[in-house]
Amino acid sequence: MFEGTALSLLQTRVLGVLIEKQRTVPDSYPLTLNALVTGCNQKSSRDPVLDVSEGDVAAVIDELRGLEMVNEVSGSRVPRYEHLLGRALQIPSQSVALLAVLMLRGPQTAGELRLNCERLHRFADISAVEGFLDELAGREIGALVVQLPKQAGARECRWAHLLAGEVQFESRELPASGLAERVSQLELEVAELKHAVALLLAANADES
């Protein structure tokens, strides 16, 4: 993980919202506290969906300011806030975009990340996404993402961020007994299909 204290879920959500809105609604950025709360509680493009108060978000902003990841912008009637994640972690804007989508939506494959990053940064292809993910995972001062073990039946591995510490994941692999039972069931279904095909072939032969 990155060099520093592991962040909370709400801290990563606030950072993710700031990064997202910087790219998607630049005219409203930096964000007011009210806009941040709305973004944190947004139901679309969020996993998990949260229901947090203005006080919760205000406390998190203070914590992130202490970590030099968020800054309050002066010169406005209402306090506004901007993220400093790229500077704090010394990573390029492409990597910031990937981290934002992971913080907002949870673990995803490289293909999903390319699609979901479209409004934040347009990657040329999946290999470009994988290149930045590999850089984030191989940082000498601490990995920022990790590739999760491939789940049973999945074609691709998912990636997760490490800003909140080590990732806890559940394996969806069937236990040995359950797997053996499933194989037996599939073998039975194949045998029944073979029998049905043989009957059809025999009936066609009789008709001809």
Side-chain angles (χ1 to χ4, degrees):
M1 66 171 285
F2 73 104
E3 193 173 44
T5 305
L7 303 180
S8 68
L9 172 60
L10 186 50
Q11 286 175 329
T12 61
R13 177 60 56 88
V14 166
L15 285 169
V17 170
L18 286 171
I19 297 164
E20 177 190 61
K21 302 306 181 184
Q22 179 189 23
R23 312 292 180 88
T24 59
V25 285
D27 292 343
S28 302
Y29 186 84
L31 300 183
T32 63
L33 177 59
N34 184 61
L36 253 178
V37 173
T38 300
C40 287
N41 292 333
Q42 186 176 311
K43 291 182 171 56
S44 62
S45 306
R46 301 289 186 266
D47 186 15
V49 172
L50 301 180
D51 183 13
V52 297
S53 68
E54 191 171 290
D56 294 332
V57 176
V60 162
I61 289 173
D62 287 339
E63 294 163 0
L64 291 171
R65 290 178 65 190
L67 295 172
E68 298 183 348
M69 291 185 172
V70 166
N71 180 50
E72 181 177 336
V73 180
S74 59
S76 174
R77 291 184 298 104
V78 179
R80 291 179 175 271
Y81 304 96
E82 62 182 357
H83 76 88
L84 304 173
L85 193 67
R87 184 192 307 175
L89 300 180
Q90 299 180 342
I91 56 176
S93 60
Q94 297 94 323
S95 298
V96 171
L98 289 170
L99 285 176
V101 173
L102 288 171
M103 288 189 285
L104 293 174
R105 294 173 176 250
Q108 296 155 77
T109 66
E112 291 170 334
L113 282 168
R114 184 193 177 204
L115 178 64
N116 293 330
C117 274
E118 186 73 13
R119 298 177 68 197
L120 309 187
H121 179 83
R122 184 167 295 179
F123 290 93
D125 48 38
I126 293 179
S127 63
V129 174
E130 292 172 336
F132 282 101
L133 289 171
D134 288 339
E135 287 183 6
L136 288 170
R139 292 191 350 145
E140 292 184 1
I141 59 175
L144 293 173
V145 300
V146 63
Q147 188 176 43
L148 302 178
K150 187 180 293 186
Q151 293 182 317
R155 295 178 57 187
E156 299 178 58
C157 291
R158 297 181 304 158
W159 291 81
H161 74 84
L162 292 173
L163 291 168
E166 296 299 322
V167 179
Q168 301 296 322
F169 63 92
E170 295 181 4
S171 173
R172 296 184 182 177
E173 292 184 5
L174 291 170
S177 58
L179 183 60
E181 182 179 342
R182 182 60 178 151
V183 170
S184 297
Q185 179 65 28
L186 289 172
E187 289 176 342
L188 177 61
E189 291 173 2
V190 169
E192 290 173 349
L193 285 171
K194 285 183 176 179
H195 180 64
V197 170
L199 291 177
L200 285 172
L201 290 174
N204 289 335
D206 291 339
E207 291 176 359
S208 60

